[in-house]
């Protein structure tokens, strides 16, 4: 996911002329080149993604396929692993010098870290609703092109819509801080990471999996 964010900033974040003359097109470019590729890599290689686990492992728990202890273990371990990996990649991206003097990472990080708590929370809900729909649809595809198509549309949509993904932000905001954004670690955590993470949990576990579990599974049904 960090690599996807890196690509999005490098390509879509480096189009100031297009952003000024046609902001809608710039948003599509930002969404189309980056995060879809990151999620495809994660799903095809069997990687653990916290935001996807809020839907899939929650569904397994509600269906009686796993217990509460394993659910918490999955969430905590994937979140911690995603955080460490994102910070490491952010540092490597910073040291690589490939972003030059482009201001996108600083501007994006600053914007994300100055949102009101409720706004960041709602953006987290909407974001992971789309992300988990992508994961859910991709899981039903048996071919690579099918998985890529299932992922591309909802993931490019959430980026173009300006929604917030906690794991992507674990890369984007620290990178912005390293490149000079006037953001404290406290602001990053309290103004973005906490509300977005909570929103992602609601979006994945309730908004995405809730309706499917109720309609096709055993959610809310008595034995």
């Amino acid at each position: 996911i960090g690599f996807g964010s890196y690509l999005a900033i490098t390509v879509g974040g480096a189009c100031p002329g297009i952003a000024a003359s046609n902001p809608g097109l710039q948003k599509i470019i930002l969404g189309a080149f980056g995060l879809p590729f990151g999620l495809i890599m994660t799903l095809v290689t069997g990687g653990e993604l916290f935001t996807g686990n809020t839907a899939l492992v929650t569904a397994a728990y509600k269906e009686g396929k796993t217990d509460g202890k394993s659910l918490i273990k999955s969430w905590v371990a994937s979140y911690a692993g995603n955080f460490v990996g994102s910070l490491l990649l952010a540092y490597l991206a910073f040291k690589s010098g490939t972003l030059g003097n482009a201001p996108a990472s600083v501007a994006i990080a600053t914007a994300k870290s100055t949102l009101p708590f409720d706004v960041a929370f709602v953006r987290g809900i909407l974001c992971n609703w789309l992300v988990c729909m992508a994961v859910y649809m991709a899981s039903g595809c048996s071919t690579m092109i099918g998985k890529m198509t299932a992922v591309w549309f909802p993931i490019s949509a959430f980026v173009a819509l300006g929604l917030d993904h906690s794991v992507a932000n674990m890369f984007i905001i620290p990178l912005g801080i390293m490149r000079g954004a006037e953001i404290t670690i406290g602001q990053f955590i309290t103004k973005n990471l906490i509300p977005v993470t909570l929103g992602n949990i609601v979006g994945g576990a309730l908004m995405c999996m809730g309706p499917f579990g109720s309609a096709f599974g055993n959610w809310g049904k008595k034995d």
Side-chain angles (χ1 to χ4, degrees):
I1 301 303
F3 273 113
S5 301
Y6 189 7
L7 180 61
I9 292 171
T10 302
V11 179
C15 305
I18 296 175
S21 63
N22 193 339
L25 177 59
Q26 189 270 337
K27 290 179 180 180
I28 288 295
I29 295 172
L30 184 68
F33 296 97
L35 267 297
F37 133 76
L39 184 57
I40 289 166
M41 284 203 303
T42 303
L43 295 179
V44 173
T45 60
E48 292 290 329
L49 178 62
F50 166 74
T51 47
N53 287 351
T54 62
L56 298 182
V57 184
T58 302
Y61 169 70
K62 294 291 289 183
E63 293 292 327
K65 306 297 183 182
T66 190
D67 57 22
K69 182 179 180 180
S70 296
L71 172 66
I72 298 302
K73 177 183 176 181
S74 170
W75 283 15
V76 171
S78 59
Y79 194 86
N82 291 164
F83 203 174
V84 171
S86 296
L87 292 176
L88 175 60
L89 184 59
Y91 177 74
L92 293 175
F94 170 68
K95 294 298 289 184
S96 73
T98 56
L99 294 172
N101 296 320
S105 60
V106 172
I108 295 171
T110 302
K112 288 181 176 294
S113 298
T114 54
L115 296 172
F117 191 98
D118 59 331
V119 173
F121 176 70
V122 171
R123 290 187 183 184
I125 293 174
L126 296 172
C127 170
N128 209 34
W129 193 345
L130 288 173
V131 170
C132 291
M133 282 301 303
V135 173
Y136 183 68
M137 292 190 295
S139 68
C141 300
S142 58
T143 65
M144 175 66 92
I145 191 65
K147 292 180 183 295
M148 292 173 66
T149 303
V151 164
W152 190 85
F153 285 99
I155 300 304
S156 60
F158 102 68
V159 179
L161 289 168
L163 305 178
D164 274 74
H165 188 271
S166 57
V167 178
N169 289 354
M170 291 172 186
F171 169 85
I172 294 170
I173 297 177
L175 176 63
I177 293 173
M178 293 176 199
R179 288 176 58 80
E182 296 182 359
I183 303 166
T184 66
I185 300 300
Q187 285 177 309
F188 163 44
I189 294 173
T190 60
K191 300 281 286 183
N192 185 273
L193 198 57
I194 291 175
V196 170
T197 298
L198 294 175
N200 285 170
I201 291 171
V202 173
L206 298 181
M207 307 306 291
C208 180
M209 280 294 105
F212 288 111
S214 300
F216 305 114
N218 297 316
W219 293 38
K221 297 179 182 178
K222 296 181 179 180
D223 294 334

